[in-house]
Amino acid sequence: MKQRLLATLVIAAFYLLPLMAQEHISSPNGKIQLSVGLKSGRPYYELKYHDRNIFNTSFLGYKLSDGNLDSDFKIISCTRTTKDETWQQVWGEEEFVKNHYNELTIHLQQKKGLKRKLDIVFRIFDDGIGFRYIIPEQKTLNTIIINEEETQFALAHDAEAWSIPSNHTEYFEGIYRKSLISTKDTVCTPLTIEYEPDIYLSIHEAALNDYASLNLTPRGNTLTSALTPWSNGIKVYGNKNLMSPWRTVIVVQKATDLLLSRIMLNLNDPCKIEDTSWIKPGKYIGIWWSIHKKKNTWEMGPNHGATTANVKRYIDFAARHGFSGILAEGWNPGWGNGEKITYQKSYPDFNIEEANQYARSKGVRFIGHMESWGNSKLIETEMDSVFRWFHSMDMNTVKTGYVGHKFDGKELSKSQYGIRHYRKVIETAARYHIMINNHEPAMPTGIQRTWPNLMTQEGVRGQEYNAWDKKGGNPPEHTATLPYTRGLAGPTDFTPAIFNFSEVIKGTRPHSTLAKQLAEFVIIYSPLQMAADEIENYEGQPALTFIENCPTTWSQMVVPNGKIGQYITIVRKERNGDSWFLGSLTDNKARELDVRLDFLDADKKYTAIIYEDGPEADFETNPMAMSIRQIKVDCNSTLHLKLARSGGAAVQLKVASKL
C-alpha cells in the first residue's frame, strides 16, 4: 500500500512540475530578480528588488476575437542572451547611453485545440525591466484581432502614485494627482509610484509601433492593461504575426533616479536615418503667446499676428539673440470660421516666400505649421507635397497639430489608428529632411531613437493654460511634478520662459517667479525649446542672457536632489563644450537647497553665473524680483540656493581656468 501511494505521489509530482515550472533571471548587478513560468497553464511573472517583493504573481496573455492566448500553455523552450553596449544619441539629455541587460524568452504552445504559439521576451536592466509579446506566424492564425491584452502588474501592496485619468484627460493635458492606486480610475502611463520610502517605480511602454496605447486599470493592488480601442471596440489589428510594444517598469531607490533611466530608449530600435547631419536641435521664438493673451489672432483681421511685417520683427529679434528658429502660427487659411484648411497658401497679408527668404538671410529658419483640427486624413493626403514644398524653401522644421476631440471624427489619437498616422508623418518627414514638433500626440515611447527627426511633442498641460484657463492656470507644484511623470516619456514641448505676468483673465498667469521660468528652460527637456513670451517682454531683460547661452542638447545629466511634486534640481553639461547649466525649482513652499558641485571637472575652475529669486521675491506678490551674481567655484564647492515660494534658480557654470 505504501509503495503504491509513493508511486502515485511521484507520478502526480511528475505531471504537476511543468505546471509550476519557473525560470529565473536577474539584472546584471543582481539587484532585480524576475521569475517567469506557468500556473495552471497561465503565463506569469514575479518581480523582486533587493529580495523584496514588488510584483506578486502577475498573469499575461491575450483575448483574441477567435480564441484566447492566456491559458492551456506548456513551455516548449527558453532562450537566454545578454548584451552590454554603449550607443550614441543624435541628440538628447546624454550623448552616450549604456545598454546592459540580461534577456529571457519563453516559447509557449497551447496543449489542446489549435495549439497556438506565443513568445514572451523579458529584458532585465539594473534599473528595471521590459517585456513584450510576440505572436509568431502560424497556420492557425491568418489574421490577429486583439480584444484584450491581459497584462498584469500585481503589486505586493497598495501604494501612492501620481497619475492623470485616461478617460477624462484630452491629449494628456491634465494635472498629475497623488492618491492610492486602489482608489484610482483607469489612468494613463507613465504611472509613477512611491512604492516604499526607498523604492520608486514607473510603469510605461516603449517602441509603440502599429499598436494601441497602454492605459492601466486598478483592481485593488493589481494594475491591468487597458488598451485604447478603435471606435468599434477592437484594440489591435495584426497580420500573420504581431510584436507588441515593450511594457516597461523602472525600479530605483530614489525618485530622482527615475529621471536617469534609459530603459525606454534602449528598448527602441536603433536610428533608421543614415545621414542625420540635417537634424539640429535649437531654440526658437514665435507669435504664439501674444495670441493666447488675446493681443493677436490666428485668423486674418485687424490684429492678425502672422503678418509679413510682424514676422520680420520676430526674425530680427531671433537673429540678434541667437535663436535658430521662428514659428508663426496662423499664416495659412483655415483658422477663421468656415475657412478651408490649406497648407500651401498664405493669407493675403503674409508672404511666406518673402518671410522665409528674409529669415534665411539672417541665419534663422522659418518653422512650418500644419494644424489639422483633428483631420488626420487631410495631413496624410497633403503631407508629401507640403513637405516637398517646405524642403524646396530650405525649411527643416514643422509643427503639427490635431486640436479636436477625435481623429477624423471617430478615432482616438492614442488608438492604433492614431499611432499609424503619427508614424506615417514622421517617416514621410524624414524623407524630406523635416524635423517634427508634434502637438496633441500619443504619449511618447522613445521612438525618437529610431526616428530622431521626431524632436519633441506636447502631450502635457503646458504653459498656455497660464494664459486662459478660467480655473487660474497651472498650480505651483505642476512643474515640480512633470519631470517625474510626463517627463519620463520623453521630450516635452511645454513652452517655458514667460517674463511678463500680466493677466487677461483675473488670477490666471504663470504661478511662478521669473527665476523659476528660467529654471524650467533647463528642467523641462526639449531639443527644440521655445522661449514662449512676446519679444517685447524679452527686450532689455537681463534674464534673457541665460536663455541665449543655454543649449538644448547635452552630453551629461545630473539630478542632485528632488522630491516629487515639491522640488527638483537638474544639471546638464553642454555638448562639445565645458559649460554646465543648472535649474532648480520648488512648489508653493520656499526652500533652501545645497547643491554639491562634485560633477565638475577636477582640473578646472568655474565661474558660476547665478540667476536667483531676489530677497523679496514671491510668486504672488513680487514674481519679477530676481538677483544675478557671480562666484568662483570648483568640484569641491557647494551652491547654496534660496528659492522663494514657487521660485527657482538658474545657473551657468563656465570654465574660468584650468588647474
Short mmCIF file of all heavy atoms in Angstrom, two decimals, residues 113 163 235 385 480 522 586:
data_model
loop_
_atom_site.label_atom_id
_atom_site.label_comp_id
_atom_site.label_asym_id
_atom_site.label_seq_id
_atom_site.Cartn_x
_atom_site.Cartn_y
_atom_site.Cartn_z
N GLY A 113 -6.62 21.92 -28.68
CA GLY A 113 -7.25 22.72 -29.72
C GLY A 113 -6.30 23.02 -30.87
O GLY A 113 -5.67 22.12 -31.44
N SER A 163 -0.87 60.35 -11.19
CA SER A 163 -1.49 59.92 -12.44
C SER A 163 -2.41 60.99 -12.98
O SER A 163 -2.80 61.93 -12.27
CB SER A 163 -2.29 58.63 -12.23
OG SER A 163 -3.40 58.87 -11.38
N LYS A 235 -9.16 46.37 -30.11
CA LYS A 235 -7.98 47.04 -29.59
C LYS A 235 -6.86 47.10 -30.63
O LYS A 235 -6.26 48.16 -30.83
CB LYS A 235 -7.49 46.31 -28.32
CG LYS A 235 -8.53 46.24 -27.22
CD LYS A 235 -8.99 47.63 -26.76
CE LYS A 235 -10.17 47.60 -25.82
NZ LYS A 235 -10.02 46.75 -24.66
N SER A 385 3.36 66.49 -50.57
CA SER A 385 3.58 67.70 -51.37
C SER A 385 3.98 68.88 -50.49
O SER A 385 4.81 69.71 -50.90
CB SER A 385 2.33 68.03 -52.18
OG SER A 385 1.22 68.26 -51.33
N ALA A 480 7.06 70.96 -10.74
CA ALA A 480 7.86 70.15 -9.82
C ALA A 480 7.43 68.68 -9.87
O ALA A 480 8.09 67.83 -9.27
CB ALA A 480 7.73 70.68 -8.39
N VAL A 522 15.73 74.66 -18.32
CA VAL A 522 16.69 73.56 -18.15
C VAL A 522 15.98 72.28 -17.75
O VAL A 522 16.28 71.19 -18.26
CB VAL A 522 17.75 73.92 -17.08
CG1 VAL A 522 18.70 72.75 -16.83
CG2 VAL A 522 18.53 75.16 -17.50
N THR A 586 10.86 74.98 -7.06
CA THR A 586 10.10 74.45 -5.93
C THR A 586 8.61 74.70 -6.13
O THR A 586 8.20 75.43 -7.03
CB THR A 586 10.57 75.11 -4.62
OG1 THR A 586 9.85 74.56 -3.52
CG2 THR A 586 10.35 76.61 -4.63
#
